[in-house]
Amino acid sequence: SKATVSVLNCGQWGKMLCAISGVVPEHPVVSSKSGVLFEKRLILAHLETSGKCPIKNHDLAKEDLIEVQKADVVRPRPASTMSMPGLLAAQQNEWDVVMLENFQLKQQLDLVRKELSHALYKHDAACRVIARLMRERDESKAALAEFRTHTSAARPAEAKAAKPGQLPQAVVSKIDAKHKALSNSRKARAISETLATKTQVAALEEKNTRSAHSTTQPGVLCLDRGHGLTATGGADGQILLLDESSNEVKEKLAGHKKAVHDVVFSHTRNHLYSCSADATVVVWTPQDGAYKQAATFKDHSKPVRDMALHPTGDYLLTCGMDSAWNFYDVVEGKQIVNIAPTAVTKGFSSCAFHPDGQFLVCGTAGGCPIWDVRAPNKIVTSLGTKDGKIINSVAISENGTTMAAGSEDGTVKLWDLRKATQLATVSFDDSDPSRPTPVNHVSYDMSGHYLAICTDSVKIYDTESAKRVGGELACLRQHNAAVTDCLWGADAKTLYTCSMDRQVKTYTVA
């Protein structure tokens, strides 16, 4: 039941204040649980929202409140408010208190706003980081799944061949079958009726130019074409994929830490291979419409200088400055064999497969050792002058009988592979013998009739004119720095070049 307390002493009542408002209540009530005094309308409004005592924070109901009955006596006003100056002073004090409280509230509001802004910023940043990590995780999972679909029974790249210096019999059988098929087809192959004539090749004209790669580390070191794209590797460690229809950069691949020395497209599967001065070989595969890094081989201990893809499309040859070459199975994603001949001490700077895939050749200082791929632990023969000059590039013509080897001494030696004898030495009238311009790259066209040589310009020969001094069909001097790589198009009607001047050029017949 509700109790009523009567207070008759106005002097004592004036000292009793509401615990919420801090003023003398007009309708006072007391909590039966805590004995705290409240203004009735304030405590009832508070209980409607919380149901707890605002002072003690325990459960409190309306039934727990006891009304306090005071005497209806008008309290006299203080003497200070009986005059106009006293009233003004009281109003001024009240105004000062209100303004001070308002100022403190504004300060607290500004502090809370800053704390809220900082908390929201941290929350937004955390959400962005989480989203990026989740995206990278999903991309990594997709890349792994895609690579596993292209590789059966894949194993870690660190795993070495079970029998060093030997190929598994299944690999040998596959190489033999490919060699037999290509040898028979090459003998029956006729020269294309649409092959460019000497006159047309001599009149090659620049069609378009594209500047590529970084200006801080200028230089395009290599290029290759495939699947409607032109891939270029730069001194900046990046690989650019150019759309051949628009000549615009479609993708930028960043998987190497140093200069990219070679890029090779696979024409039997949708892969791109790259090697670098950072001693790695990277396999790129398309995923969700873009090329992604699918695997990395780290079997070389020094810069990887060159690569060659076997005619089967299943095996990749790499050579490096660690004086070793590696033979990889790109289907299973593993290294099959590693060969490091003790006779080679200055590293391998170039390599190539015979068009039939039975032999491979590597360029080194002063010579070109040749191996039978099926028995790689023994050098079959070595072509060279033993002059110690580094062979920067080797190329074997499609007929399989002639090999060109470009050297740092500014000459290209032509070899008859059937007799292991030198046919001729190509030198240049515009090269100073005391300070020769190095040969950076040599390339035969598909027919084997034309040979392109990259120095500070691009010199083009046919198989006959290459045997005499000054017999070049054309000399392309549109680049402003050393030409590093070149590639023939179909029927020798197109030639693609790249240079240290950051330019990729396309030449076509008129």
Side-chain angles (χ1 to χ4, degrees):
S1 62
K2 184 178 294 186
T4 302
V5 178
S6 177
V7 178
L8 300 178
N9 191 330
C10 292
Q12 294 180 352
W13 174 252
K15 298 179 182 179
M16 301 181 68
L17 305 177
C18 173
I20 297 178
S21 63
V23 298
V24 178
E26 295 181 2
H27 301 285
V29 291
V30 176
S31 170
S32 63
K33 292 184 176 181
S34 62
V36 180
L37 181 69
F38 300 103
E39 173 66 54
K40 183 177 181 180
R41 57 182 178 80
L42 295 180
I43 188 60
L44 290 179
H46 177 77
L47 293 179
E48 288 179 358
T49 58
S50 68
K52 291 182 178 294
C53 177
I55 305 303
K56 302 296 183 177
N57 200 32
H58 54 65
D59 293 337
L60 185 66
K62 295 180 181 179
E63 291 75 12
D64 298 325
L65 299 177
I66 303 174
E67 291 187 1
V68 179
Q69 192 174 36
K70 65 178 181 177
D72 295 330
V73 179
V74 178
R75 291 179 296 161
R77 292 185 179 181
S80 60
T81 60
M82 297 300 291
S83 64
M84 185 59 68
L87 289 173
L88 291 175
Q91 293 293 330
Q92 181 65 52
N93 292 335
E94 186 176 351
W95 172 263
D96 293 342
V97 171
V98 171
M99 289 299 100
L100 180 59
E101 184 179 3
N102 187 49
F103 175 74
Q104 292 174 344
L105 289 175
K106 286 182 178 181
Q107 282 186 321
Q108 293 177 358
L109 177 61
D110 184 60
L111 179 61
V112 171
R113 283 179 173 174
K114 289 181 179 179
E115 292 177 350
L116 178 60
S117 176
H118 184 64
L120 291 176
Y121 176 79
K122 291 175 63 177
H123 178 267
D124 182 67
C127 290
R128 290 175 182 272
V129 171
I130 292 172
R132 177 175 59 81
L133 292 176
M134 292 181 64
R135 183 175 66 253
E136 292 178 355
R137 180 203 62 185
D138 295 340
E139 290 175 353
S140 299
K141 287 183 178 180
L144 180 60
E146 180 69 18
F147 183 67
R148 283 178 174 173
T149 60
H150 287 84
T151 59
S152 59
R155 69 179 186 180
E158 296 83 6
K160 302 296 181 180
K163 297 179 179 181
Q166 297 182 11
L167 295 184
Q169 185 57 43
V171 177
V172 173
S173 299
K174 188 181 293 186
I175 292 175
D176 282 337
K178 193 66 175 180
H179 166 253
K180 183 177 181 180
L182 291 177
S183 297
N184 294 334
S185 64
R186 188 177 69 248
K187 294 176 181 178
R189 186 186 305 151
I191 298 176
S192 174
E193 296 179 356
T194 58
L195 180 68
T197 63
K198 295 181 182 179
T199 303
Q200 289 177 314
V201 172
L204 280 171
E205 297 178 349
E206 181 180 346
K207 181 181 179 182
N208 57 54
T209 300
R210 170 74 191 190
S211 295
H213 294 276
S214 169
T215 57
T216 57
Q217 292 179 291
V220 185
L221 304 181
C222 54
L223 61 81
D224 196 19
R225 299 175 60 243
H227 313 294
L229 300 171
T230 297
T232 64
D236 57 2
Q238 287 191 332
I239 300 171
L240 300 186
L241 299 183
L242 306 178
D243 190 318
E244 293 190 345
S245 59
S246 63
N247 201 33
E248 296 295 328
V249 176
K250 184 177 181 181
E251 292 184 56
K252 291 185 179 181
L253 309 181
H256 292 290
K257 298 178 181 179
K258 296 183 180 180
V260 179
H261 286 156
D262 197 17
V263 288
V264 176
F265 271 112
S266 172
H267 297 282
T268 58
R269 51 179 45 84
N270 207 358
H271 284 186
L272 172 67
Y273 310 101
S274 62
C275 65
S276 167
D278 63 7
T280 64
V281 178
V282 176
V283 181
W284 306 87
T285 59
Q287 301 163 23
D288 300 326
Y291 276 84
K292 303 292 183 181
Q293 188 171 338
T296 302
F297 300 114
K298 300 180 180 180
D299 300 287
H300 286 280
S301 59
K302 291 184 179 181
V304 186
R305 289 295 303 274
D306 202 7
M307 298 186 300
L309 193 62
H310 192 269
T312 60
D314 296 339
Y315 309 108
L316 181 70
L317 170 67
T318 66
C319 66
M321 298 309 294
D322 54 358
S323 300
W325 59 263
N326 290 317
F327 193 75
Y328 293 100
D329 186 330
V330 296
V331 177
E332 295 189 3
K334 66 180 181 180
Q335 179 201 62
I336 298 180
V337 70
N338 168 271
I339 299 297
T342 57
V344 178
T345 59
K346 295 185 179 181
F348 291 119
S349 52
S350 54
C351 62
F353 278 111
H354 188 276
D356 295 342
Q358 185 175 357
F359 298 96
L360 66 87
V361 58
C362 290
T364 183
C368 299
I370 297 176
W371 287 267
D372 186 329
V373 179
R374 301 166 299 176
N377 55 347
K378 184 179 180 180
I379 296 176
V380 176
T381 186
S382 184
L383 307 177
T385 59
K386 307 300 181 181
D387 56 3
K389 302 298 181 182
I390 296 176
I391 305 300
N392 288 330
S393 178
V394 291
I396 302 177
S397 67
E398 183 60 26
N399 59 24
T401 62
T402 307
M403 184 187 78
S407 171
E408 66 174 351
D409 66 0
T411 64
V412 177
K413 291 180 173 57
L414 304 180
W415 297 87
D416 186 333
L417 295 179
R418 295 167 297 186
K419 302 177 181 179
T421 57
Q422 184 174 328
L423 296 174
T425 298
V426 182
S427 56
F428 315 115
D429 292 336
D430 56 354
S431 181
D432 183 357
S434 63
R435 299 179 61 185
T437 303
V439 175
N440 300 314
H441 189 77
V442 291
S443 177
Y444 281 102
D445 79 299
M446 188 64 181
S447 70
H449 277 65
Y450 301 108
L451 174 66
I453 302 173
C454 299
T455 59
D456 55 355
S457 59
V458 182
K459 297 174 173 61
I460 302 175
Y461 296 80
D462 67 1
T463 52
E464 293 302 321
S465 66
K467 299 176 183 179
R468 62 180 185 272
V469 177
E472 67 263 10
L473 296 178
C475 184
L476 309 176
R477 300 181 180 277
Q478 284 76 9
H479 284 289
N480 299 318
V483 183
T484 54
D485 201 355
C486 66
L487 182 69
W488 288 97
D491 292 328
K493 293 183 178 180
T494 311
L495 182 66
Y496 304 87
T497 64
C498 61
S499 166
M500 293 302 292
D501 62 5
R502 298 178 53 246
Q503 293 185 345
V504 179
K505 294 183 181 292
T506 303
Y507 298 88
T508 58
V509 298

mmCIF file of all heavy atoms in Angstrom, residues 276-300:
data_model
loop_
_atom_site.group_PDB
_atom_site.id
_atom_site.type_symbol
_atom_site.label_atom_id
_atom_site.label_comp_id
_atom_site.label_asym_id
_atom_site.label_seq_id
_atom_site.Cartn_x
_atom_site.Cartn_y
_atom_site.Cartn_z
ATOM 1 N N SER A 276 64.034 -14.796 -66.018
ATOM 2 C CA SER A 276 64.484 -13.489 -65.554
ATOM 3 C C SER A 276 65.867 -13.550 -64.933
ATOM 4 O O SER A 276 66.393 -14.626 -64.604
ATOM 5 C CB SER A 276 63.472 -12.940 -64.535
ATOM 6 O OG SER A 276 63.979 -11.837 -63.826
ATOM 7 N N ALA A 277 66.421 -12.344 -64.745
ATOM 8 C CA ALA A 277 67.698 -12.206 -64.043
ATOM 9 C C ALA A 277 67.569 -12.528 -62.567
ATOM 10 O O ALA A 277 68.581 -12.644 -61.873
ATOM 11 C CB ALA A 277 68.234 -10.786 -64.234
ATOM 12 N N ASP A 278 66.349 -12.680 -62.062
ATOM 13 C CA ASP A 278 66.170 -13.064 -60.654
ATOM 14 C C ASP A 278 66.263 -14.573 -60.447
ATOM 15 O O ASP A 278 65.940 -15.086 -59.377
ATOM 16 C CB ASP A 278 64.837 -12.537 -60.113
ATOM 17 C CG ASP A 278 63.633 -13.132 -60.834
ATOM 18 O OD1 ASP A 278 63.821 -14.042 -61.664
ATOM 19 O OD2 ASP A 278 62.505 -12.670 -60.590
ATOM 20 N N ALA A 279 66.709 -15.303 -61.506
ATOM 21 C CA ALA A 279 66.967 -16.752 -61.459
ATOM 22 C C ALA A 279 65.697 -17.585 -61.358
ATOM 23 O O ALA A 279 65.730 -18.726 -60.889
ATOM 24 C CB ALA A 279 67.914 -17.095 -60.310
ATOM 25 N N THR A 280 64.560 -17.044 -61.807
ATOM 26 C CA THR A 280 63.311 -17.792 -61.756
ATOM 27 C C THR A 280 62.720 -17.965 -63.147
ATOM 28 O O THR A 280 62.994 -17.187 -64.065
ATOM 29 C CB THR A 280 62.267 -17.096 -60.863
ATOM 30 O OG1 THR A 280 61.918 -15.821 -61.445
ATOM 31 C CG2 THR A 280 62.798 -16.895 -59.457
ATOM 32 N N VAL A 281 61.890 -19.001 -63.267
ATOM 33 C CA VAL A 281 61.096 -19.256 -64.471
ATOM 34 C C VAL A 281 59.641 -19.316 -64.021
ATOM 35 O O VAL A 281 59.304 -20.054 -63.089
ATOM 36 C CB VAL A 281 61.503 -20.578 -65.153
ATOM 37 C CG1 VAL A 281 60.627 -20.837 -66.369
ATOM 38 C CG2 VAL A 281 62.971 -20.547 -65.549
ATOM 39 N N VAL A 282 58.779 -18.524 -64.665
ATOM 40 C CA VAL A 282 57.378 -18.417 -64.237
ATOM 41 C C VAL A 282 56.463 -18.955 -65.334
ATOM 42 O O VAL A 282 56.675 -18.687 -66.526
ATOM 43 C CB VAL A 282 57.003 -16.956 -63.900
ATOM 44 C CG1 VAL A 282 55.521 -16.847 -63.553
ATOM 45 C CG2 VAL A 282 57.853 -16.452 -62.739
ATOM 46 N N VAL A 283 55.459 -19.713 -64.914
ATOM 47 C CA VAL A 283 54.412 -20.209 -65.805
ATOM 48 C C VAL A 283 53.168 -19.361 -65.584
ATOM 49 O O VAL A 283 52.693 -19.230 -64.454
ATOM 50 C CB VAL A 283 54.102 -21.689 -65.536
ATOM 51 C CG1 VAL A 283 53.027 -22.185 -66.502
ATOM 52 C CG2 VAL A 283 55.354 -22.529 -65.652
ATOM 53 N N TRP A 284 52.648 -18.770 -66.669
ATOM 54 C CA TRP A 284 51.444 -17.936 -66.607
ATOM 55 C C TRP A 284 50.311 -18.651 -67.341
ATOM 56 O O TRP A 284 50.512 -19.174 -68.440
ATOM 57 C CB TRP A 284 51.682 -16.577 -67.265
ATOM 58 C CG TRP A 284 52.861 -15.824 -66.737
ATOM 59 C CD1 TRP A 284 54.158 -15.924 -67.157
ATOM 60 C CD2 TRP A 284 52.868 -14.851 -65.692
ATOM 61 N NE1 TRP A 284 54.974 -15.089 -66.443
ATOM 62 C CE2 TRP A 284 54.206 -14.410 -65.542
ATOM 63 C CE3 TRP A 284 51.885 -14.301 -64.879
ATOM 64 C CZ2 TRP A 284 54.580 -13.448 -64.604
ATOM 65 C CZ3 TRP A 284 52.248 -13.350 -63.942
ATOM 66 C CH2 TRP A 284 53.568 -12.934 -63.816
ATOM 67 N N THR A 285 49.125 -18.659 -66.726
ATOM 68 C CA THR A 285 47.947 -19.252 -67.350
ATOM 69 C C THR A 285 46.776 -18.288 -67.254
ATOM 70 O O THR A 285 46.674 -17.529 -66.288
ATOM 71 C CB THR A 285 47.560 -20.579 -66.670
ATOM 72 O OG1 THR A 285 47.294 -20.337 -65.279
ATOM 73 C CG2 THR A 285 48.671 -21.598 -66.790
ATOM 74 N N PRO A 286 45.875 -18.290 -68.237
ATOM 75 C CA PRO A 286 44.711 -17.386 -68.180
ATOM 76 C C PRO A 286 43.676 -17.867 -67.180
ATOM 77 O O PRO A 286 43.308 -19.039 -67.174
ATOM 78 C CB PRO A 286 44.171 -17.435 -69.620
ATOM 79 C CG PRO A 286 44.629 -18.742 -70.164
ATOM 80 C CD PRO A 286 45.932 -19.067 -69.487
ATOM 81 N N GLN A 287 43.216 -16.962 -66.338
ATOM 82 C CA GLN A 287 42.196 -17.252 -65.343
ATOM 83 C C GLN A 287 41.270 -16.055 -65.247
ATOM 84 O O GLN A 287 41.726 -14.940 -65.007
ATOM 85 C CB GLN A 287 42.830 -17.529 -63.973
ATOM 86 C CG GLN A 287 43.809 -18.692 -63.973
ATOM 87 C CD GLN A 287 44.717 -18.683 -62.765
ATOM 88 O OE1 GLN A 287 44.375 -18.100 -61.748
ATOM 89 N NE2 GLN A 287 45.878 -19.301 -62.885
ATOM 90 N N ASP A 288 39.986 -16.297 -65.457
ATOM 91 C CA ASP A 288 38.978 -15.228 -65.403
ATOM 92 C C ASP A 288 39.321 -14.103 -66.383
ATOM 93 O O ASP A 288 39.201 -12.920 -66.063
ATOM 94 C CB ASP A 288 38.846 -14.667 -63.983
ATOM 95 C CG ASP A 288 38.424 -15.734 -62.979
ATOM 96 O OD1 ASP A 288 37.658 -16.622 -63.385
ATOM 97 O OD2 ASP A 288 38.859 -15.671 -61.820
ATOM 98 N N GLY A 289 39.786 -14.489 -67.582
ATOM 99 C CA GLY A 289 40.051 -13.500 -68.613
ATOM 100 C C GLY A 289 41.367 -12.775 -68.492
ATOM 101 O O GLY A 289 41.624 -11.833 -69.242
ATOM 102 N N ALA A 290 42.258 -13.184 -67.571
ATOM 103 C CA ALA A 290 43.550 -12.514 -67.393
ATOM 104 C C ALA A 290 44.601 -13.557 -67.055
ATOM 105 O O ALA A 290 44.306 -14.580 -66.436
ATOM 106 C CB ALA A 290 43.475 -11.459 -66.296
ATOM 107 N N TYR A 291 45.851 -13.290 -67.476
ATOM 108 C CA TYR A 291 46.941 -14.214 -67.182
ATOM 109 C C TYR A 291 47.382 -14.043 -65.727
ATOM 110 O O TYR A 291 47.604 -12.925 -65.270
ATOM 111 C CB TYR A 291 48.125 -13.961 -68.114
ATOM 112 C CG TYR A 291 47.986 -14.663 -69.461
ATOM 113 C CD1 TYR A 291 47.272 -14.086 -70.499
ATOM 114 C CD2 TYR A 291 48.562 -15.912 -69.667
ATOM 115 C CE1 TYR A 291 47.131 -14.734 -71.714
ATOM 116 C CE2 TYR A 291 48.432 -16.567 -70.879
ATOM 117 C CZ TYR A 291 47.718 -15.971 -71.902
ATOM 118 O OH TYR A 291 47.584 -16.615 -73.097
ATOM 119 N N LYS A 292 47.499 -15.185 -65.026
ATOM 120 C CA LYS A 292 47.916 -15.199 -63.632
ATOM 121 C C LYS A 292 49.112 -16.136 -63.467
ATOM 122 O O LYS A 292 49.302 -17.068 -64.237
ATOM 123 C CB LYS A 292 46.771 -15.663 -62.712
ATOM 124 C CG LYS A 292 45.499 -14.842 -62.813
ATOM 125 C CD LYS A 292 45.702 -13.440 -62.268
ATOM 126 C CE LYS A 292 44.381 -12.664 -62.304
ATOM 127 N NZ LYS A 292 44.540 -11.285 -61.793
ATOM 128 N N GLN A 293 49.900 -15.867 -62.441
ATOM 129 C CA GLN A 293 51.076 -16.684 -62.146
ATOM 130 C C GLN A 293 50.624 -18.025 -61.581
ATOM 131 O O GLN A 293 50.032 -18.099 -60.512
ATOM 132 C CB GLN A 293 51.972 -15.951 -61.158
ATOM 133 C CG GLN A 293 53.311 -16.598 -60.907
ATOM 134 C CD GLN A 293 54.230 -15.708 -60.094
ATOM 135 O OE1 GLN A 293 54.040 -14.499 -60.055
ATOM 136 N NE2 GLN A 293 55.215 -16.298 -59.454
ATOM 137 N N ALA A 294 50.901 -19.110 -62.321
ATOM 138 C CA ALA A 294 50.436 -20.435 -61.914
ATOM 139 C C ALA A 294 51.522 -21.245 -61.236
ATOM 140 O O ALA A 294 51.226 -22.077 -60.370
ATOM 141 C CB ALA A 294 49.907 -21.194 -63.130
ATOM 142 N N ALA A 295 52.782 -21.059 -61.619
ATOM 143 C CA ALA A 295 53.875 -21.825 -61.009
ATOM 144 C C ALA A 295 55.181 -21.063 -61.203
ATOM 145 O O ALA A 295 55.328 -20.286 -62.143
ATOM 146 C CB ALA A 295 53.981 -23.222 -61.629
ATOM 147 N N THR A 296 56.123 -21.305 -60.306
ATOM 148 C CA THR A 296 57.452 -20.682 -60.380
ATOM 149 C C THR A 296 58.510 -21.737 -60.116
ATOM 150 O O THR A 296 58.448 -22.452 -59.114
ATOM 151 C CB THR A 296 57.593 -19.546 -59.352
ATOM 152 O OG1 THR A 296 56.581 -18.557 -59.585
ATOM 153 C CG2 THR A 296 58.963 -18.886 -59.467
ATOM 154 N N PHE A 297 59.473 -21.845 -61.042
ATOM 155 C CA PHE A 297 60.599 -22.763 -60.878
ATOM 156 C C PHE A 297 61.820 -21.968 -60.430
ATOM 157 O O PHE A 297 62.155 -20.948 -61.032
ATOM 158 C CB PHE A 297 60.903 -23.491 -62.186
ATOM 159 C CG PHE A 297 59.744 -24.313 -62.694
ATOM 160 C CD1 PHE A 297 59.102 -23.979 -63.882
ATOM 161 C CD2 PHE A 297 59.288 -25.415 -61.995
ATOM 162 C CE1 PHE A 297 58.049 -24.720 -64.357
ATOM 163 C CE2 PHE A 297 58.232 -26.168 -62.455
ATOM 164 C CZ PHE A 297 57.597 -25.823 -63.642
ATOM 165 N N LYS A 298 62.491 -22.474 -59.394
ATOM 166 C CA LYS A 298 63.648 -21.771 -58.826
ATOM 167 C C LYS A 298 64.869 -22.685 -58.781
ATOM 168 O O LYS A 298 65.621 -22.701 -57.807
ATOM 169 C CB LYS A 298 63.308 -21.272 -57.419
ATOM 170 C CG LYS A 298 62.131 -20.307 -57.374
ATOM 171 C CD LYS A 298 61.843 -19.852 -55.958
ATOM 172 C CE LYS A 298 60.666 -18.887 -55.922
ATOM 173 N NZ LYS A 298 60.368 -18.419 -54.542
ATOM 174 N N ASP A 299 65.081 -23.442 -59.861
ATOM 175 C CA ASP A 299 66.163 -24.419 -59.875
ATOM 176 C C ASP A 299 67.491 -23.816 -60.299
ATOM 177 O O ASP A 299 68.526 -24.435 -60.080
ATOM 178 C CB ASP A 299 65.798 -25.579 -60.803
ATOM 179 C CG ASP A 299 64.529 -26.272 -60.341
ATOM 180 O OD1 ASP A 299 64.577 -26.984 -59.330
ATOM 181 O OD2 ASP A 299 63.477 -26.082 -60.971
ATOM 182 N N HIS A 300 67.494 -22.646 -60.938
ATOM 183 C CA HIS A 300 68.743 -21.971 -61.292
ATOM 184 C C HIS A 300 69.237 -21.155 -60.099
ATOM 185 O O HIS A 300 68.442 -20.626 -59.312
ATOM 186 C CB HIS A 300 68.546 -21.071 -62.509
ATOM 187 C CG HIS A 300 68.420 -21.818 -63.798
ATOM 188 N ND1 HIS A 300 69.501 -22.307 -64.493
ATOM 189 C CD2 HIS A 300 67.327 -22.158 -64.527
ATOM 190 C CE1 HIS A 300 69.087 -22.914 -65.588
ATOM 191 N NE2 HIS A 300 67.771 -22.847 -65.634
#
